[in-house]
Amino acid sequence: MDMEELRKEKLERLERALTCKEPDRVPILVFNDVFCGKYSGYTAQEIYFDYEKWKDATLNVAKNFNFDYIFTLNGLEGMFLFASFIEKAPEVAANMRFVTGPYHQILEDTYTRWPGIELKEDVHPQFIGKEIMKKEEYDKFIEAPIKFMHEVALPRICKNLANPGSMEYNTTLTRLGAEATNYGNATLQLIMELKNIGYPFFPMAHSYAPLDFLGDFLRDIKNVILDLYRDPETVKGAIEAITSHMIKTGTISGTIPPEVKEMFGTEIVWCFYPLHLTEYLKPELYNEYYWPSLLKVFKETIKAGLLPFVLFEGSHDAHLETLQSIPKHSIAGMFEKTDPRKVKEVIGDRMCIMYGPPNSLLIGSTPEKVHDWTRELLVDMKDDGGFILFPGVDAAGIAKDARPENIKAMIDAVEKYGKY
């Protein structure tokens, strides 16, 4: 088949599933990072610090496995940068959603640890949260959240931004902007090379759950949960203060030029949301402090023409009923620990559900067991459409040590039992 025809076939398959329609078969959507490096003979350090090797490894995996979509993430959570710069410098912030290894070298941020620097050269990088904002600083944050990020938070997070206005500070921002351009160029090159071998691409916007922003980047998870008990009204004020900005991050980053949509042949623009605090919160806390602001952000980004692409990390069992309030057929969600059959039982066809073999199965099992596991999942989930196979749900993507023969067994099961 001609590569452009193949790309269009995969694109239509994904578009129909994402919008809760029946495609010709269940699509396979893959996130990965170090797996592509190991499969291609590179260390983690090489994948994260050498853009050419990152591209080569991704293309190698894309050519050797019959996926419908592949995204190789070579960075860690960086919403603290993206949110700080998106309004005033969207063209630069667009390439700062994730902290890359080179960004870490430039900023010397306190959150991330990298192979070949703080870690051994062939291990996955780490994001380590910490308290950045003191409890008594809530009022200052509420008064002007983005000003607080620039004047207080970023100088504490990044060693080389510690003195705003200094020569070191200005030089660091200049170097960061130049590296963001390099990363953006490498990313575009990879997207176009994937396009040339038959892979579709969806433009991606970014937003965040307001309470997660406080927990991940300012107060740390344990502290923000304590704050909900000790000073709930202040936390609620901080949530309200940052919610409008989380809407802006989505709508600004989701403003995709018509020529870009035309180039990729789609009107769908993902808006990426990783959810982190959900399994730490009892339903009464979740329903009062987490869900209302997130739902507001969801609805506003949907109104702007975006499709929330949500990673429901952890267990979401206690909160499934809240998903009944999302606009129908307007969201796609990957569930890490919640059985997708239970999700479907509770919310029906309200959203596109993404799920697949966990890495524990892809690493430690046999091709026969992976094939059977995948077949059983498809039998239970594929009816009426709106289902996407997403392997490696327990790590938001395929892990480094997943066995290639198990991945191929999974693909074989989809090709046999995933057809409509």
Side-chain angles (χ1 to χ4, degrees), residues 60-233:
N60 185 39
V61 168
K63 291 172 183 175
N64 284 284
F65 296 90
N66 188 25
F67 303 137
D68 293 297
Y69 196 94
I70 184 168
F71 180 77
T72 300
L73 178 63
N74 70 335
L76 293 174
E77 184 54 66
M79 193 65 175
F80 66 94
L81 280 177
F82 185 80
S84 298
F85 291 102
I86 189 65
E87 284 192 61
K88 300 297 184 182
E91 67 288 346
V92 178
N95 298 315
M96 292 184 186
R97 176 57 184 85
F98 302 101
V99 175
T100 68
Y103 292 1
H104 174 65
Q105 290 178 307
I106 292 168
L107 295 167
E108 295 192 39
D109 68 278
T110 187
Y111 284 145
T112 61
R113 306 287 183 271
W114 294 86
I117 301 181
E118 297 90 358
L119 307 172
K120 293 181 180 180
E121 67 172 12
D122 205 24
V123 300
H124 197 283
Q126 300 171 358
F127 181 94
I128 300 173
K130 61 179 293 185
E131 182 185 49
I132 295 297
M133 181 177 78
K134 304 301 181 185
K135 185 177 182 297
E136 57 270 20
E137 293 177 315
Y138 264 113
D139 288 344
K140 189 173 182 180
F141 174 81
I142 291 169
E143 183 179 345
I146 302 308
K147 183 180 180 183
F148 183 91
M149 292 301 297
H150 281 283
E151 295 182 358
V152 180
L154 287 180
R156 292 175 183 172
I157 295 167
C158 304
K159 178 182 176 182
N160 292 336
L161 296 178
N163 298 299
S166 68
M167 181 178 294
E168 181 184 47
Y169 178 92
N170 293 333
T171 300
T172 297
L173 287 183
T174 299
R175 291 178 61 208
L176 180 64
E179 186 57 38
T181 298
N182 292 338
Y183 177 55
N185 289 338
T187 301
L188 181 58
Q189 289 168 14
L190 175 58
I191 291 167
M192 297 310 295
E193 290 186 51
L194 286 169
K195 183 174 183 283
N196 291 338
I197 60 170
Y199 277 86
F201 175 75
F202 293 101
M204 189 181 291
H206 299 278
S207 190
Y208 221 74
L211 187 57
D212 275 335
F213 190 85
L214 297 176
D216 290 348
F217 307 119
L218 295 172
R219 290 290 291 143
D220 193 34
I221 289 176
K222 65 180 182 301
N223 288 325
V224 83
I225 292 175
L226 286 172
D227 294 344
L228 289 174
Y229 289 97
R230 296 182 301 196
D231 196 357
E233 290 307 308

Side-chain angles (χ1 to χ4, degrees), residues 358-394:
N359 283 299
S360 56
L361 192 68
L362 295 175
I363 293 170
S365 194
T366 64
E368 294 75 21
K369 288 182 179 178
V370 171
H371 184 280
D372 291 346
W373 189 99
T374 305
R375 175 181 54 80
E376 292 174 7
L377 177 70
L378 293 168
V379 168
D380 291 339
M381 293 299 300
K382 77 169 190 176
D383 285 355
D384 303 318
F387 179 70
I388 292 175
L389 194 86
F390 187 110
V393 290
D394 50 343

